Amino acid sequence: MYNSPSSGLSSISDTTSNGSDSKKLRVEDRVGDAPPSRVLHIRKLPNDVSETEIIALGLPFGKVTNILTLKGKNQAFLELSTEEAAMTMVNYYSAVTPHVRSMPVYIQYSNHKELKTDNSNQSGGTPTSGSNSSVGGGAPSSPVLRIIIDNMFYPVTLDVLQQIFSKFGTVMKIITFTKNNQFQALLQFNDPTNAQQAKGALDGQNIYNSCCTLRIDYSKLVNLNVKYNNDKSRDYTRPELPAGDGQPSLDTSMVSALSKDSSSLLGALSPLSAAAAAAAAAGRVALSGHTGASGVLLVSNLNEEMVTPHSLFTLFGVYGDVQRVKILFNKKDSALIQMADMNQAQLAMSHLNGQKMYSKIIRVTMSKHQTVQLPRDGLDDQGLTKDFTNSPLHRFKKPGSKNFQNIFPPSATLHLSNIPQDITEEDLRVLFSNSGGTVKAFKFFQDHKMALIQMTTIEEAIQCLIDLHNYNMGNNHHLKVSFSKSTI
């Protein structure tokens, strides 16, 4: 659980413990002195800021795994799942000042490598991990929560709910619906204790600043029966489920139980893609008060012997429509990549910074350039600059494309589509093994037009996606490859 103890903070605060203002100022002014850490120190927060508002600063960059607020000090510690995610966040906010409730806040690395908090620690010593304290009182009987969103000024998607609630445990299933023009959801954890912790921490909190308030109760249901995986319902344990017609489906016993739970499926919220939700969160949190930002990324630490404009176009094209790529002439381990807009650039940066491409960990930051310049007519730049503006391979050019609903972080499991009927599992295993990786698992979907293939590492999967997305399988069938959130 995320705790906010008022005692024992001297051992975890990045300020000094004796209350001396001069010492505090000296310590707090050391912005950038601490080495990179997945724990970030956030200062100058507004009074009575909620944990959800602080967490929202980190959500666009990765999973938030812990938080500690320092009551009365207007400070907090935010722990992300990886150091790379924290580095991406610090790099981004060093160029764009973050705001909470229209007030600028300041973010730096903490000297602590992880947060260890425990409600039972009242002695002033170092807080420990593994709190056994329960939240909310009383043993919960159901792992299913019923969630109502009040003041929903911005759309809230299934993917946003999954990201927020998954820090309390494994989210297995979600069904979203509307009742009386109010967005609601049923969310099932793998364990009732996780549901209890999530309810205790999130009930009454805002997803975004001053809006989208969570109202959470226990459901009388103990299990959700999801028949379709789409933008309104999702069973994370069964990735093979069909998309259906976009409406979540419940059997008769579920409908009966739902009526007792004062919930019913009476329509559907206009879907907002996971990509748009992430971009919206970034726009409201990271970009408040900041306009005119470009969609140009600077990518460094590339393998200059292997990288090409097309390989960067393919990889970064998973997260947006790449317009232009320029590998720098005098520094060929770096490149500028122009995305279609700032939101796509932010999405690509948050997912690809720190990933391995051609055996090197790449760094992705926002560039100060507004556009990527093409070489002057007649100037040979050795093919280092490419214009992809009119490429037919853009994934997101078509409004409402299903690709918006299937944007996930790089993973070892790849989703394959547009597979010809005569292609066998063995054909695909051989094809992907020839890209230099080892196929760990494979699974066809029911119609054999789609499949999941799991490589040994994320790096291997990235290499396969670069090599084999749009691969001609014969008879003008071009293989489509993307990252999957599922495992086999």
Side-chain angles (χ1 to χ4, degrees), residues 463-481:
Q463 183 63 55
C464 287
L465 184 142
I466 291 171
D467 290 346
L468 298 174
H469 177 62
N470 203 48
Y471 183 84
N472 190 349
M473 304 290 291
N475 297 322
N476 209 29
H477 275 85
H478 290 267
L479 187 66
K480 305 301 179 189
V481 184

Side-chain angles (χ1 to χ4, degrees), residues 330-351:
N330 293 321
K331 196 173 182 355
K332 292 187 174 63
D333 68 345
S334 300
L336 294 172
I337 300 177
Q338 182 178 333
M339 308 296 289
D341 58 42
M342 181 64 187
N343 289 335
Q344 293 183 3
Q346 165 66 33
L347 203 62
M349 180 181 75
S350 65
H351 284 311

Side-chain angles (χ1 to χ4, degrees), residues 109-175:
Y109 296 117
S110 167
N111 289 319
H112 302 277
K113 293 302 181 184
E114 64 177 330
L115 285 183
K116 296 182 178 181
T117 56
D118 186 89
N119 269 347
S120 63
N121 178 19
Q122 301 293 331
S123 63
T126 302
T128 58
S129 61
S131 170
N132 292 320
S133 60
S134 63
V135 178
S141 58
S142 171
V144 179
L145 297 175
R146 183 163 63 92
I147 303 158
I148 298 174
I149 310 292
D150 283 341
N151 304 317
M152 201 171 89
F153 298 139
Y154 300 108
V156 175
T157 67
L158 181 150
D159 296 275
V160 169
L161 291 173
Q162 193 272 341
Q163 190 170 18
I164 292 171
F165 281 81
S166 64
K167 58 186 170 58
F168 297 98
T170 302
V171 174
M172 302 185 70
K173 304 170 186 178
I174 304 177
I175 296 172

Side-chain angles (χ1 to χ4, degrees), residues 177-193:
F177 52 94
T178 57
K179 179 184 178 182
N180 300 330
N181 293 321
Q182 194 167 42
F183 179 71
Q184 303 189 26
L186 294 170
L187 183 146
Q188 180 178 339
F189 282 101
N190 65 333
D191 185 271
T193 304

